[in-house]
Amino acid sequence: FRSIPYYLETMSEIRHSIKQMIRILKPGGIARIFPVIIEQEAGVREFMDMEDGVEYSLEHDGFSYDGEGEKDWLFTIKKHEEPSKG
């Protein structure tokens, strides 16, 4: 799907970007975002723990995007299905 852009410097900008990703997902839709760099990981977790209507996971994929240092995170978001009407 996409990465959290490196040019987003503040958690406010990152939260806004994630909110937009969630907004455009269809119910049951999945977004896979890579890389989430180590400096963004804690803020992303904190934000997602407060989001309703979605499940998420953050896991190391064993790859460092810049080829150095800490391994980056694969961030997966799944939007819940809408309750059936009837």
Side-chain angles (χ1 to χ4, degrees):
F1 189 69
R2 64 182 294 185
S3 67
I4 295 176
Y6 279 118
Y7 61 84
L8 297 179
E9 295 181 5
T10 67
M11 273 314 299
S12 176
E13 293 171 320
I14 292 170
R15 285 185 197 110
H16 178 74
S17 183
I18 293 170
K19 276 193 160 305
Q20 292 304 311
M21 291 177 205
I22 293 169
R23 183 183 66 78
I24 65 170
L25 276 176
K26 293 180 180 178
I30 296 174
R32 291 179 182 85
I33 300 105
F34 179 85
V36 174
I37 59 175
I38 192 73
E39 292 83 6
Q40 298 168 332
E41 180 261 337
V44 168
R45 281 187 194 278
E46 181 180 325
F47 173 72
M48 290 303 298
D49 285 344
M50 295 183 291
E51 280 296 297
D52 292 326
V54 294
E55 299 171 25
Y56 81 96
S57 67
L58 271 164
E59 51 194 68
H60 282 291
D61 79 333
F63 179 75
S64 175
Y65 185 72
D66 64 7
E68 307 175 1
E70 296 283 339
K71 302 299 182 208
D72 297 315
W73 296 85
L74 172 63
F75 175 32
T76 304
I77 303 169
K78 181 176 182 187
K79 193 169 193 176
H80 293 165
E81 297 281 346
E82 291 180 348
S84 53
K85 298 175 184 172

